[in-house]
Amino acid sequence: MVVANDNDLLTSKILPRVLIVSRRTLRKNKFVDFVGEYHLDLIVSNGAVPVIVPRVSGIHSMLKSFEPIHGVLLCEGEDVDPSLYADDAEEQQQGLSQEDIDEIRTLHASDTAIDREKDSIELTLAKLCLERNIPFLGICRGSQILNVAAGGTLYQDIDKELGTETKHIDYDNYDEHRHEARVVEETPLHGWFEGMDRIMVNSYHHQAVKRLGERFVPMAYAPDGLIEGFYDPNRYDPEEGRFLVGLQFHPERMRVSGSDEFDYPGCATAYQEFVKAVTAFQKKRQLDAAEMMLKNHKKKTLVKSLSMAELLEANTALSKKQENRLKQMGATVRNSCVYVKRKEVQERAMDKLSNERLSDLLSFHRMMARLCSDAIKRKLLEPTET
């Protein structure tokens, strides 16, 4: 990861923001929030800023304060609450006996504790991405959350429900564990992995996609038929800021033993394409904000051409000095432009804007300031005519 110096920090542009929800664990008898560093490194190294959303009570009602959101990455965590994708208690058990459920909880003790707060935060973000076309990448649990948000369902335990012979989790060999995955042709995953039809993937899950949301198309299958990756073909074009992808396996962990080298270049490509979409989405938002400003300027212009009578009526008569100055500039009092917007009116108008819109306006004005500054510098450097 490249570390910027002070000059870089002062002159750098405003980078796109990727929200990542933390996971909590118990350390020294206290809960601490964390996010896997592999994810953070891959976001930063590709030119975006990871913004960690803490998994704390009540944060789901404060998500608007994290605007602007240019992308969302959801990764590992506990089991998704089955009540979120099952209609009744019987369907929630999916044919599992109480003995089966107790055995699953014992075998997967670190993952089966339901975290409803994390569920609420992540489902809210996933649905927001679906509604507003915000780029989204889901890894492991994150892909399951995306599927549930789009109306899909999950296997609560693939061993019990599917009777699979494919080993999807190995508690004793977390990093080194691999199983085969068949890649579907003409999908983004097929392109990331340079046309390979089969890859060996790292996985760590006992739940998985059961019924895939209607908008999605599978990108890879495990030998037992489980979906290892999916995407929305109508929402995939990184150059245009579109990216909606779920991966059940862990590309960030697929590295050569004892090094940071990836098993396949495609592991890093998944994050590169995601950040490319995030960056394009940010630029589109800035352009949209600029266009909106121009439209608003035409509708609610701050500058009004006033006759002398209008000036007197508005109690904003020009002083003699101002009048002379206008005449020097080749203007007349009748056609002069006068700003009549008062400070309190401006403040009320700004208070009505969302944090997201204010941030977009700030980015736009900074960009315009930089362009104006560069233009002034060029003019100052031009040779003076004699």
Side-chain angles (χ1 to χ4, degrees):
M1 184 174 69
V2 178
V3 179
N5 58 38
D6 290 340
N7 290 330
D8 290 333
L9 294 174
L10 290 173
T11 60
S12 62
K13 63 179 181 179
I14 298 177
L15 298 175
R17 296 154 51 93
V18 175
L19 267 57
I20 309 176
V21 181
S22 66
R23 185 180 185 181
R24 74 173 183 177
T25 188
L26 197 61
R27 184 175 183 270
K28 296 181 180 180
N29 298 319
K30 294 180 181 179
F31 284 117
V32 295
D33 283 31
F34 70 96
V35 173
E37 194 168 304
Y38 277 155
H39 298 294
L40 301 177
D41 276 342
L42 285 162
I43 294 299
V44 171
S45 63
N46 284 297
V49 176
V51 178
I52 298 177
V53 180
R55 179 256 160 261
V56 292
S57 298
I59 202 72
H60 66 274
S61 63
M62 302 167 61
L63 291 176
K64 285 188 177 179
S65 297
F66 287 88
E67 300 276 8
I69 303 171
H70 303 123
V72 171
L73 167 64
L74 299 184
C75 35
E76 58 270 359
E78 292 78 8
D79 291 353
V80 180
D81 185 353
S83 68
L84 296 172
Y85 54 86
D87 294 331
D88 51 46
E90 183 177 347
E91 188 178 349
Q92 289 177 32
Q93 287 193 302
Q94 297 183 2
L96 298 173
S97 66
Q98 188 59 48
E99 183 179 352
D100 288 334
I101 293 173
D102 292 340
E103 184 180 341
I104 293 168
R105 288 173 178 169
T106 300
L107 183 60
H108 306 291
S110 62
D111 297 313
T112 51
I114 300 298
D115 187 343
R116 290 183 173 83
E117 189 68 31
K118 184 175 173 69
D119 286 346
S120 177
I121 296 168
E122 294 192 338
L123 270 175
T124 300
L125 286 174
K127 289 178 180 178
L128 186 69
C129 291
L130 293 174
E131 293 168 4
R132 287 169 41 182
N133 296 329
I134 299 172
F136 181 101
L137 174 59
I139 305 292
C140 194
R141 168 191 156 99
S143 68
Q144 297 170 10
I145 285 285
L146 177 60
N147 187 52
V148 170
T153 62
L154 306 175
Y155 287 108
Q156 284 196 56
D157 186 81
I158 51 181
D159 286 336
K160 292 292 184 181
E161 294 182 63
L162 198 61
T164 180
E165 295 183 359
T166 302
K167 193 171 186 178
H168 289 275
I169 190 168
D170 187 344
Y171 286 108
D172 298 322
N173 193 22
Y174 183 82
D175 291 314
E176 304 297 327
H177 174 62
R178 302 285 188 275
H179 70 72
E180 186 180 88
R182 177 176 61 83
V183 181
V184 178
E185 293 183 1
E186 297 182 358
T187 62
L189 191 68
H190 192 245
W192 301 343
F193 285 84
E194 301 175 336
M196 298 180 67
D197 58 358
R198 295 181 187 278
I199 57 176
M200 300 299 293
V201 300
N202 170 266
S203 68
Y204 185 92
H205 62 100
H206 79 100
Q207 297 193 320
V209 169
K210 184 175 184 178
R211 186 185 73 245
L212 189 62
E214 291 183 3
R215 66 189 299 160
F216 298 124
V217 172
M219 295 197 295
Y221 293 95
D224 55 13
L226 279 181
I227 295 173
E228 289 288 335
F230 58 87
Y231 80 116
D232 182 345
N234 296 316
R235 281 275 307 280
Y236 186 83
D237 188 347
E239 297 283 352
E240 294 297 323
R242 295 195 289 270
F243 194 102
L244 192 57
V245 170
L247 300 177
Q248 182 62 73
F249 64 94
H250 286 269
E252 82 283 359
R253 301 193 70 90
M254 292 163 54
R255 308 189 183 220
V256 176
S257 181
S259 78
D260 283 335
E261 181 184 352
F262 285 106
D263 292 354
Y264 311 93
C267 297
T269 304
Y271 286 84
Q272 290 166 3
E273 293 300 293
F274 171 59
V275 174
K276 181 188 293 183
V278 168
T279 302
F281 182 81
Q282 179 202 31
K283 289 180 179 178
K284 287 183 69 175
R285 290 295 306 276
Q286 290 174 340
L287 289 173
D288 290 344
E291 290 178 1
M292 183 63 69
M293 286 179 64
L294 291 173
K295 288 181 181 178
N296 288 339
H297 181 71
K298 292 178 181 179
K299 291 180 180 179
K300 299 179 179 180
T301 179
L302 300 180
V303 181
K304 296 183 179 179
S305 294
L306 299 176
S307 66
M308 180 59 75
E310 289 173 318
L311 285 169
L312 292 172
E313 185 179 349
N315 196 27
T316 55
L318 298 176
S319 68
K320 193 66 178 177
K321 185 177 179 180
Q322 290 172 323
E323 188 174 327
N324 290 336
R325 179 59 180 157
L326 286 171
K327 289 178 179 178
Q328 289 173 7
M329 295 170 62
T332 63
V333 174
R334 181 175 297 277
N335 295 320
S336 64
C337 294
V338 179
Y339 288 95
V340 294
K341 204 74 171 177
R342 299 184 179 216
K343 182 182 177 186
E344 56 268 25
V345 176
Q346 294 174 329
E347 289 178 347
R348 284 199 299 271
M350 297 299 284
D351 288 342
K352 291 180 181 179
L353 298 178
S354 66
N355 290 340
E356 178 186 7
R357 178 54 56 79
L358 288 171
S359 180
D360 287 339
L361 290 175
L362 180 60
S363 298
F364 173 75
H365 283 295
R366 284 177 173 170
M367 177 182 69
M368 293 303 297
R370 187 168 60 251
L371 292 172
C372 291
S373 177
D374 292 342
I376 291 171
K377 288 177 182 178
R378 288 196 299 271
K379 288 181 178 295
L380 290 175
L381 292 173
E382 291 177 355
T384 305
E385 294 182 3
T386 58

